[in-house]
Amino acid sequence: MSDTNTIVHDVIVVGAGLAGTWAAKIAAEQGVRDVAVLSKIHPLRSHSGAAQGGIAAALGNVRPVPDSGPRGPLEQLPDGATPVDNWELHMFDTIKGSDWLGDQDAIEIMVKEAIDIVYEYEHMGCVFSRTRDGRIAQRRFGGHSAPRANFAADWTGHVLLHTIHEQALRHGVKFYSEWYCMDLIVEDNICRGVVAMEIQTGKIYTMRARAVMFGTGGYGRAYKITSNAYANTGDGVAIAYQAGVPLMDMEFVQFHPTGLYKHGILMSEACRGEGGYLLNANNERFMERYAPDKMELAPRDLVSRSEQTEIDQGRGVEADGQGIYLDLRHLGREKILKRLPQVRELAIDFVGVDPIDALVPIQPTAHYSMGGIPTDADGQVIYDAEGTPVTGFFAAGECACVSVHGANRLGTNSLLEASVFGRRAGYAIARFLESGASLQSVSGDPAEKQRQRVQRLMAGNGKSSESVEKISQELKTTMTNQAGIFRDGERLIQASGTIHRLRERFANARVMDRSSCFNTDVLSALETEHLLSFSELIVAGALERKESRGAHFRTDYPKRDDENWLKHTLAYQTPDGPRLAYKAVNIDWEKYPPQERKY
Amino acid sequence: MTNNGKMQSVTLRVLRYNPEVDQKQHFQEFQVEYTADTTILDALHQIKAEQDGSLTFRRSCRHAICGSCAMNVNGKNILVCKTPLRTQLDRKNRVTIRPLPFLPVIKDLVVDRSAFWEEYQRVRPWLIAPPEAPEKEFRMTPEEVEALHNAETCIMCGACYSSCQVVALNKKYIGPHALLKAFMRVMDPRDTEPGERLDEVSGSDGVFRCHTIFNCIDACPKGLNPTEAIETLRKLVQKRQAFVAARQERQKTLLPVESSTAPAAAD
């Protein structure tokens, strides 16, 4: 049964950001005794902690000062006054933001549970910023029609992550810190465990469990300019795909409008939520031309396209004309220090500019992965358009595709999604185990295949082989130039060819580090293999989708086409490359039928 | 900014150790090209990609929020992701990089932080809230929130811990990071066990061990002040009884007036 190469737990969660940690904490709280979380970096290093601006929930704690206009100041809701916000408004904003590709049943669940989960965070110790009367403070965010971004200055993700991690420790969750998941074991559509490497020793184990959950994060690292951490290499989505699970809506990649120029590091949308402007080389607030109503607080896909258009038409800033200016100066010193302290430091550290008295150069940056592993609203991974479950396999957060974000996510809905669906997955896993789910047998030695994968990377003398880093850089350049903000058939076909050639070259790639102890050279190679694997699907989905919707914009098909394309893409692995299928979008045709999307 | 875009060359001296081949740590020198924008982390990546793939270090977010990449540069603990290389050149145009001091080295610049995390867990970093949760939020004033900022933004990078002379001499010392966390919980008006927490940090491994050398303040890349937090805890230990009584009093007003009169539903 068990040997020194096999580890057994009731539940194995992969990824220790908000989604995975919520699931683990809830499962443990519900009485599952043996819950383990694997993370390739220490849990508190997870990228959820980098989120800045807020978590959405229609608490109705604040409102705009009456008659002060759409960008005027906010005040705490006076006693007895009717709140300006409710979950229905949040729901409509999210549907519209998704360009009607979000599943409306899942969105309804998310926006309703939003209110409760923000209070739960508060009860668990999260230190939110406050209104004068002690309620959770709220600010505006792009695409939201009311101030509903609940925040802790501009380090909201950081405090949420620390809070949920602390509570998971309190409930006895076991963390495997710096363990790298390499494979998902699925036989007969039943998930039986994972294969993982202990990074410090290089030892590879088969890890069996009654249920496996992925909260492995997004795939923004496929792009050259990105806000994502080095860790965000989409391992989970690639591993699931290799194991036969389809991936949904992979072509939808969000570009955030305000990445620091050349670095891509995020300057929170809170900069614009608090009233910041975007300026081109002529000192114009160019958003007037693209979103006269919402201006800088239009959703991210629209603002990023507007910036890129300004840049492409020669109105960009900085030496190479590839930048745009973010202007915060009029917010004043006090507000910047109080509300945006982290972004101020980032601007000073990375571009040498203090936003209190200078313009900050920014540019669009690959930020969020709308696509991922298809699940139902309980985190149960599904195999097809009919919702057939992959038994024992759950997923939530950015690696999953419920889908609540559809073709474009609204800011502050990601911390929300990871939390709500992570929590729901935790409850679903506890029910699944309680219903009698048992440990399933595993054929052969799945770890052996992964050991060979590592041995191949270390074979030969390494000198004359392909460089992993070069392949990785070429991929990122290709994805940025040919599958980025603006796409067309010709460039996507080129990208597809390039990725195919890079995959062939990767077969000859070797690492320089041959040691078994903490071999980050091997990890980078495995991560690059994952990037190559799912990037093919981003391009394939984008090439096939002959319309423009949300973050996916085809210059050769610039209109949304509901007649043919109001559907999710499902990509399946076959020996001949990806096979695409489609899945209907859940729409309430009475209440929320598709409309023209204008801001 | 000067020299933006102009390439220059510098020597990086890196203290290396691979347990599979090395008896002890040794310096290796690398030449790297840099511009005004290049961070120390960029330079390490450049070496790893182009010269020696076995060079080993931790990193993730690259913007000073994940806490992975604390290292010792020219004798000072810093986050290499947010530090421009050009600011760290010594008189011989070199930069010297070592792993965090006083911690066991796993490989090259990767240290074993186990003791650091054990201390973090020892102070029970989680909030212990009143058993009856209100329907909405506990009411905290902006000032009470402000008072926690000194601890709230700690990223657990270990820069303070590994610069602390007391940690260096006494492995049982709780350490500045965990005491800062304890401070955060003690000061939080929602926490119900400030007295027990003060007892826990007032033992022989706790706040009275701190020699107020201030290394932790110098080391903190987030500009936090663990020493001040430790000082506060010391004072509160002396006033434990009054502080606990005040907390109990404060917790009666954590709920807004309208819902504190009616019993809140248990969550």
Side-chain angles (χ1 to χ4, degrees), chain A residues 7 73 124 206 287 313 342 344 367-368 459 493 507-508 510 520 558:
Chain A
I7 294 168
M124 292 189 303
T206 297
M287 283 310 297
Q313 294 179 357
Q342 186 187 180
R344 173 176 179 250
H367 182 60
Y368 188 85
I493 288 168
N508 296 316
R510 298 291 181 269
T520 52

Side-chain angles (χ1 to χ4, degrees), chain A residues 342-353:
Chain A
Q342 186 187 180
V343 297
R344 173 176 179 250
E345 271 182 42
L346 293 174
I348 293 171
D349 288 342
F350 290 95
V351 293
V353 161

